[in-house]
């Protein structure tokens, strides 16, 4: 239950991890809050209010358009044609439902997921959970740097080395701007992606009937193991663990009176509408990429592409061996083949779209890292110190990758990074279902029976699909040492996931699993946040 105190006092929150009350953590993002127009609450819909709530959903949707997603899209089109578009649609809908849970947690409690984890998990599990989420963020950061490196390499015709991209992608993490200006800038980057990939779609002109058939007919005629693995990869690329933490924090940027049940209900409604619009836009952009490569390159061989590149005088024709094996593409080769078949403009516009995807994802990754570290560790540092620490954790792996890999091999790391993020997915989905199901935390907005059962089944399916992707990747390594290491790692991994599931089931109402009565989910006392200070 909520209580009220003077706004001049420091807020206190219960934390089972540390005895006694503790102060509300400050944040890097909420120096200002967007006011909500005071329209009649009885009105079913207001465009003014929708505009006021617009922003967090589009920032969240960036994760559905990062370079890892783009690569998954183009490989889906090149390997399976239009046949897996329905998988992309289904994954996006599942992602929307999961983002709804994240947004509701932030709106109702006034805390984001990392803060709630800090208050409800014991110290050791909380630290392990933080480390797992940080791994996911590092993996995402590396993909973004890879995407930006490839884009700049294509635009500069190989003159800009990958290592030079790291500094550029980190500058965005140290920038400061007004909240609405920042959200507008992300909207601008999404617009660049829509125009870039939309140009490719119009230029290639795919069969619209095949696009609609692939999107709404859940069937894959003539598909084999390659297409199955690609379908699993599509789901893994779309649903990303750090994005759940990010969205639960971004919704705190609006000035909502959480003591007013009608305002909270209204905020949940408008955030869901905004998220639906944002993910619909991201879905269309993903469809553009799938359809372009399905129409132009599905079933083509290396020989065909090599001959075409030689005819057009491309400097990259050596990328494609003169054999009749099926064409394999990635972000880098994808731009090259577009240039060979549809002219230099197609290559450069493709690179601009990839650069926008990489840079926008880098910036949202910056915020994800800050929210996660602040929430799990309850940091009370100045803005610069927090940003510097969270970005330093990710910059060293990305710098090593950029220095020791050339651009043609950089993109090959995306499979490994997708596996890394797939393994971290339970560490976002299980906690979000756990805490949004707690009546003591969510009050009247806790998940009902349908959401508890349906959400649990969706999360189970998504995690199972991602674990299949991990198993397929590991079995392809062909190394006994790696098999043994993977087996040992799996024991520790599954043990921790089982612990989270155990606590989740207790939160869902299976109280008989709490044999010693040791699991308690006390209500959090929520207060108005205080303005940030700099030490």
């Amino acid at each position: 239950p909520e209580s009220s105190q003077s706004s001049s006092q420091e807020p206190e929150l219960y934390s089972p991890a540390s005895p006694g009350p503790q102060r509300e953590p400050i944040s890097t993002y909420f120096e200002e809050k967007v006011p909500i127009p005071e329209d009649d609450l009885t009105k079913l819909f207001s465009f003014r209010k929708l505009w006021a709530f617009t922003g967090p959903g589009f920032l969240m949707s960036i994760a559905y358009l990062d370079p890892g997603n783009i690569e998954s899209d183009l490989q889906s089109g090149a390997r399976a044609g239009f046949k897996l578009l329905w998988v992309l649609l289904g994954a996006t809908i599942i992602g929307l439902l999961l983002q709804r849970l994240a947004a509701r947690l932030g709106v109702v409690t006034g805390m984001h997921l990392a803060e709630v984890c800090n208050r409800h998990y014991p110290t050791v599990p909380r630290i392990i959970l933080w480390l797992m989420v940080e791994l996911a963020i590092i993996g995402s950061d590396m993909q973004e740097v890879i995407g930006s490196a490839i884009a700049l390499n294509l635009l500069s015709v190989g003159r800009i080395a990958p290592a030079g991209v790291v500094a550029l992608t980190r500058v965005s993490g140290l920038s400061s701007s007004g909240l609405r200006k920042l959200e507008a800038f992300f909207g601008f980057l999404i617009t660049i992606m829509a125009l870039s990939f939309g140009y490719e779609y119009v230029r290639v002109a795919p069969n619209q009937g095949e696009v609609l058939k692939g999107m709404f007919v859940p069937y894959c005629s003539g598909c084999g193991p390659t297409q199955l693995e690609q379908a699993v990869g599509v789901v893994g690329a779309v649903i990303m663990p750090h994005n759940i933490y990010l969205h639960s924090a971004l919704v705190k940027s609006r000035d909502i009176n959480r003591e007013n049940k009608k305002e909270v209900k209204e905020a949940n409604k408008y955030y869901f509408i905004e998220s639906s619009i944002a993910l619909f836009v991201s879905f269309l952009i993903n469809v553009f990429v799938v359809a372009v490569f399905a129409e132009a390159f599905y079933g083509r061989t290396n020989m065909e592409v090599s001959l075409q590149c030689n005819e057009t005088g491309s400097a990259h024709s050596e990328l494609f061996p003169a054999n009749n094996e099926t064409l394999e593409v990635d972000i880098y080769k994808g731009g090259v083949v577009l240039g060979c078949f549809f002219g230099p403009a197609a290559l450069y516009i493709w690179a601009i779209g990839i650069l926008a995807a990489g840079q926008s994802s880098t910036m949202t990754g910056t915020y994800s890292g800050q929210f996660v570290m602040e929430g799990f560790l309850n940091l009370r540092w100045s803005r610069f110190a927090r940003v510097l620490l969270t970005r330093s954790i990710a910059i060293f792996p990305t710098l090593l990758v950029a220095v020791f890999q050339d651009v043609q091999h950089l993109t090959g790391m995306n499979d490994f990074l997708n596996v890394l993020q797939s393994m971290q997915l339970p560490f976002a989905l299980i906690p979000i279902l756990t805490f949004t199901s707690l009546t003591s935390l969510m009050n009247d907005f806790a998940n009902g029976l349908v959401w508890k059962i349906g959400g649990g089944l969706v999360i189970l399916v998504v995690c199972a699909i991602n674990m299949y992707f991990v198993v397929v990747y590991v079995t392809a390594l062909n190394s006994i040492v790696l098999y043994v290491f993977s087996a040992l790692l799996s024991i520790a991994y599954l043990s921790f996931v089982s612990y989270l599931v155990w606590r989740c089931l207790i939160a869902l109402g299976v109280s008989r699993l709490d044999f010693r009565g040791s699991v308690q989910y006390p209500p959090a006392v929520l207060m108005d946040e205080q303005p940030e200070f700099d030490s």
Side-chain angles (χ1 to χ4, degrees):
E2 298 178 351
S3 64
S4 60
Q5 295 181 7
S6 172
S7 60
S8 63
Q9 297 176 339
E10 281 291 342
E12 296 182 348
L13 290 158
Y14 178 85
S15 174
S18 55
Q22 57 184 359
R23 299 159 74 192
E24 176 80 20
I26 54 179
S27 176
T28 58
Y29 183 72
F30 309 115
E31 291 184 332
E32 60 177 293
K33 286 198 173 186
V34 177
I36 306 301
E38 295 183 0
D39 288 345
D40 186 357
L41 290 177
T42 60
K43 290 178 62 176
L44 292 178
F45 184 79
S46 166
F47 280 104
R48 290 178 67 233
K49 286 194 173 183
L50 178 60
W51 177 250
F53 283 104
T54 297
F58 281 91
L59 267 69
M60 168 272 296
S61 71
I62 293 292
Y64 293 73
L65 296 169
D66 70 349
N69 272 284
I70 301 302
E71 179 157 301
S72 175
D73 292 337
L74 65 89
Q75 290 177 344
S76 174
R79 294 174 180 175
F82 302 98
K83 300 174 185 177
L84 297 181
L85 280 173
W86 63 274
V87 176
L88 176 62
L89 175 61
T92 304
I93 293 173
I94 291 174
L96 174 62
L97 298 178
L98 295 174
Q99 299 298 159
R100 174 186 179 271
L101 295 180
R104 284 172 70 88
L105 180 71
V107 170
V108 175
T109 68
M111 296 184 292
H112 56 74
L113 182 55
E115 292 172 334
V116 178
C117 289
N118 173 272
R119 286 153 178 77
H120 290 282
Y121 284 126
T123 302
V124 174
R126 186 175 76 249
I127 296 300
I128 296 174
L129 194 59
W130 166 61
L131 292 174
M132 294 298 100
V133 178
E134 285 289 354
L135 274 178
I137 294 172
I138 290 172
S140 177
D141 271 352
M142 293 173 73
Q143 283 186 315
E144 291 145 14
V145 171
I146 288 171
S148 297
I150 290 171
L152 289 175
N153 187 273
L154 289 172
L155 287 171
S156 66
V157 197
R159 293 189 181 92
I160 298 180
V165 181
V166 177
L168 174 63
T169 57
R170 294 307 138 198
V171 169
S172 60
L174 297 173
S175 62
S176 176
S177 183
L179 178 58
R180 292 300 265 178
K181 292 180 181 178
L182 179 68
E183 292 172 349
F185 179 67
F186 277 104
F188 171 70
L189 292 176
I190 292 174
T191 302
I192 290 178
M193 284 185 270
L195 293 176
S196 299
F197 300 131
Y199 168 85
E200 308 288 357
Y201 186 85
V202 172
R203 181 70 177 81
V204 175
N207 186 310
Q208 302 303 307
E210 291 296 319
V211 171
L212 293 175
K213 179 182 176 182
M215 196 179 301
F216 296 109
V217 179
Y219 183 68
C220 190
S221 175
C223 292
T226 300
Q227 288 73 26
L228 175 61
E229 291 176 19
Q230 188 59 48
V232 171
V234 168
V235 177
V238 167
I239 303 173
M240 309 191 59
H242 70 278
N243 210 34
I244 303 296
Y245 288 87
L246 175 66
H247 197 198
S248 67
L250 293 175
V251 296
K252 294 171 58 181
S253 60
R254 268 51 183 177
D255 190 9
I256 302 167
N257 179 13
R258 295 191 302 278
E259 295 180 356
N260 187 323
K261 182 179 176 180
K262 289 185 177 179
E263 284 195 28
V264 173
K265 185 177 180 180
E266 181 183 67
N268 285 329
K269 177 182 74 174
Y270 282 108
Y271 273 133
F272 182 70
I273 294 172
E274 187 237 0
S275 297
S276 301
I277 296 172
L279 290 189
F280 176 71
V281 173
S282 71
F283 172 70
L284 287 182
I285 294 174
N286 283 309
V287 168
F288 289 161
V289 178
V290 174
V292 164
F293 283 84
E295 179 70 26
F297 307 114
Y298 176 54
R300 288 192 182 273
T301 64
N302 288 322
M303 180 68 76
E304 292 178 79
V305 176
S306 178
L307 291 174
Q308 180 66 28
C309 288
N310 282 324
E311 288 180 9
T312 57
S314 171
H316 306 283
S317 56
E318 73 282 354
L319 290 174
F320 309 100
N323 58 43
N324 287 318
E325 294 182 8
T326 303
L327 175 67
E328 290 286 338
V329 289
D330 48 42
I331 293 179
Y332 184 69
K333 291 181 180 178
V336 172
V337 295
L338 284 172
C340 292
F341 281 82
F342 301 101
L347 185 152
Y348 291 122
I349 292 174
W350 168 263
I352 291 171
I354 297 298
L355 183 61
Q359 286 299 288
S360 58
S361 300
T362 297
M363 295 174 71
T364 55
T366 298
Y367 282 113
S368 297
Q370 292 167 219
F371 289 138
V372 165
M373 180 166 283
E374 290 169 2
F376 275 108
L377 304 184
N378 198 24
L379 294 181
R380 297 189 61 80
W381 296 357
S382 67
R383 166 191 289 270
F384 180 79
R386 290 196 306 275
V387 173
L388 184 63
L389 177 60
T390 54
R391 289 301 83 201
S392 296
I393 290 176
I395 193 172
F396 291 111
T398 53
L399 182 61
L400 289 175
V401 168
V403 169
F404 293 106
Q405 294 279 348
D406 60 65
V407 70
Q408 296 181 27
H409 295 91
L410 269 180
T411 189
M413 289 195 64
N414 271 326
D415 286 341
F416 169 75
L417 296 174
N418 282 333
V419 167
L420 177 65
Q421 293 181 84
S422 294
M423 292 182 66
Q424 313 312 318
L425 199 56
F427 306 129
L429 301 190
I430 296 175
I432 195 64
L433 179 63
T434 299
F435 297 125
T436 53
S437 299
L438 286 174
T439 304
S440 62
L441 186 66
M442 300 288 289
N443 298 316
D444 295 336
F445 297 95
N447 292 332
L449 182 62
V450 173
W451 269 98
K452 288 179 180 179
I453 297 175
L457 291 176
V458 166
I459 290 173
L460 178 63
V461 170
V462 170
C463 290
I465 289 173
N466 280 272
M467 288 306 102
Y468 173 82
F469 182 57
V470 173
V471 170
V472 169
Y473 181 84
V474 171
T475 53
L477 296 176
N478 296 321
S479 171
I480 299 298
V481 175
L482 291 177
Y483 289 161
V484 173
F485 176 75
S486 298
L488 295 175
L489 186 63
S490 297
I491 294 173
Y493 175 84
L494 293 175
S495 298
F496 186 57
V497 171
S498 299
Y499 170 80
L500 295 179
V501 170
W502 171 63
R503 292 186 66 105
C504 181
L505 290 174
I506 294 173
L508 292 175
V510 189
S511 57
R512 67 184 63 182
L513 292 177
D514 188 10
F515 305 110
R516 297 182 299 172
S518 59
V519 178
Q520 297 182 0
Y521 291 108
V525 180
L526 303 177
M527 300 301 304
D528 293 332
E529 295 173 273
Q530 299 299 310
E532 181 179 2
F533 67 90
D534 284 334
S535 61

